[in-house]
Amino acid sequence: MRKIAVLNQKGGVGKTTTVVNTAAALATAGLKVIVLDLDPQAHLTIHLGAEPETIGSGSYKVLIKEGRLEEELLFVRPNLWLLPANINLVGAESELVSVVGRETILREAFQTVEDKFDYCLIDCPPSLGLLTLNALAAAEEALIPLQPHFLALQGFGKLLQTVDLVNKRINPNLKVKGVLLCMFDSRASLPGEVRADIEKFLDNARGTNYAWSQAQILPVYIRRNIKLAEAPSYGKTIFEYEPNCHGAEDYKKVAEFLHTQAKLVPETGDVENIAQPPLEIRPISQPDSPTPPAELTETTAAHPLESDQHKENQI
């Protein structure tokens, strides 16, 4: 199972939108995918049609070791499972402050599901605290969504340093996979200038032992698209809400890239080619999907939202 942490300490850059729609594209291609919501705001949970106030504790119970990961998963779409979150997650950091090995709790929880899924995408909170640290300790790859604005660059170096620190001290398998530019407007000059600055920064790290030494800007960017902002209020992925919009096209390409591109091999820096066919993104079924495998029938998916009372402040 490939485990990818999607993180940026800046909010509103497209983390949750990227996790939801990339996972949906992978799932509809026939791959088994789990998505983890580690943000107390529970935007990932809401985006997939679940109601945080009515679900169990989900990721909170897993982190405080009161629940097994496979028992807390919700089956939300064909081939797609969710570890939900709610406001209880706010107290996790303070409750774990004196726990030995608190940084690796999530990594240990993965041991029982490693051979049952193809992908795991982790939606990290907009901070660099214990929740994000658990995600980095458990993941093998980091994907950084970034809005191509000057202020978005200010914390980029600090974020990379944090990933590198985790790589050196906790998880030597962790590498920065790449940077995904979101809300990209090719008509303006600033996004192009920001992209050039990032490429220069990443190029300067080539041949070093930094965790981002082989990172790249993904060859596809996410264009500005109002449909991506509207979809969460209906508890739908972009493929369900408006499958023919630019947002759906862009996230389909992101999923294809992640699935077909070379996977970094830890420590040696060599590249191991993954012989995977291009993804076939078929029309996506609505949430009334078939029964999940027997080992994951402990919980059932919540119904999608029927109103637009929840709005996500991300693209």
Side-chain angles (χ1 to χ4, degrees):
M1 179 173 67
R2 288 179 65 184
K3 298 183 287 292
I4 304 173
V6 181
L7 74 158
N8 192 324
Q9 76 270 35
K10 189 177 187 304
V13 297
K15 293 187 297 294
T16 300
T17 302
T18 295
V19 170
V20 167
N21 294 308
T22 302
L26 292 168
T28 55
L31 298 162
K32 292 184 177 180
V33 184
I34 55 176
V35 289
L36 273 62
D37 194 349
L38 292 186
D39 188 348
Q41 298 176 95
H43 287 169
L44 174 61
T45 301
I46 294 170
H47 201 325
L48 284 171
E51 180 57 58
E53 286 76 18
T54 61
I55 62 172
S57 296
S59 53
Y60 171 74
K61 288 182 69 175
V62 173
L63 288 173
I64 64 172
K65 298 184 177 182
E66 288 187 0
R68 292 163 57 87
L69 194 151
E70 65 270 28
E71 295 171 349
E72 297 297 325
L73 292 175
L74 299 178
F75 183 71
V76 291
R77 302 291 192 280
N79 294 323
L80 181 60
W81 289 262
L82 163 70
L83 181 66
N86 56 27
I87 196 64
N88 292 338
L89 201 55
V90 171
E93 293 202 31
S94 59
E95 291 182 40
L96 296 174
V97 67
S98 60
V99 176
V100 176
R102 57 188 177 276
E103 302 90 353
T104 59
I105 293 174
L106 186 59
R107 181 167 68 189
E108 294 168 0
F110 271 123
Q111 294 176 1
T112 58
V113 297
E114 283 279 358
D115 58 345
K116 296 178 182 178
F117 299 94
D118 299 302
Y119 282 87
C120 173
L121 276 66
I122 308 174
D123 186 23
C124 299
S127 68
L128 296 177
L130 183 60
L131 297 176
T132 297
L133 188 57
N134 259 272
L136 293 176
E140 299 162 350
E141 308 166 33
L143 177 65
I144 303 175
L146 189 70
Q147 190 175 356
H149 290 176
F150 173 75
L151 291 178
L153 287 176
Q154 296 305 294
F156 183 60
K158 177 64 175 177
L159 177 59
L160 291 178
Q161 290 174 7
T162 300
V163 175
D164 192 61
L165 189 63
V166 174
N167 168 262
K168 298 292 190 298
R169 298 187 179 182
I170 301 175
N171 183 7
N173 294 330
L174 178 65
K175 301 293 181 184
V176 178
K177 176 61 59 179
V179 177
L180 175 64
L181 297 178
C182 299
M183 294 171 270
F184 194 92
D185 187 351
S186 59
R187 298 168 297 179
S189 60
L190 180 59
E193 294 171 1
V194 170
R195 177 173 184 152
D197 288 343
I198 297 173
E199 286 178 339
K200 182 179 179 180
F201 178 83
L202 296 178
D203 286 343
N204 290 336
R206 302 288 182 244
T208 68
N209 62 349
Y210 290 124
W212 66 87
S213 62
Q214 298 185 54
Q216 62 177 306
I217 296 179
L218 268 64
V220 55
Y221 51 79
I222 308 302
R223 290 167 284 185
R224 284 191 174 276
N225 188 270
I226 189 61
K227 300 300 182 183
L228 286 171
E230 294 172 354
S233 64
Y234 296 94
K236 294 183 177 182
T237 69
I238 192 60
F239 303 104
E240 296 164 337
Y241 182 70
E242 184 52 71
N244 297 317
C245 70
H246 286 165
E249 294 174 3
D250 295 342
Y251 275 112
K252 174 184 175 182
K253 292 177 181 177
V254 170
E256 289 175 343
F257 175 80
L258 289 178
H259 187 59
T260 59
Q261 56 94 46
K263 181 178 180 181
L264 296 180
V265 177
E267 298 179 355
T268 64
D270 294 332
V271 174
E272 175 186 349
N273 291 321
I274 300 179
Q276 299 282 7
L279 289 178
E280 178 186 356
I281 308 298
R282 301 183 295 273
I284 299 180
S285 304
Q286 293 300 312
D288 50 344
S289 46
T291 305
E295 68 269 21
L296 293 169
T297 53
E298 302 292 336
T299 56
T300 56
H303 291 290
L305 298 176
E306 298 180 352
S307 68
D308 59 349
Q309 60 182 354
H310 297 288
K311 294 289 183 180
E312 180 180 55
N313 294 324
Q314 297 179 335
I315 281 296

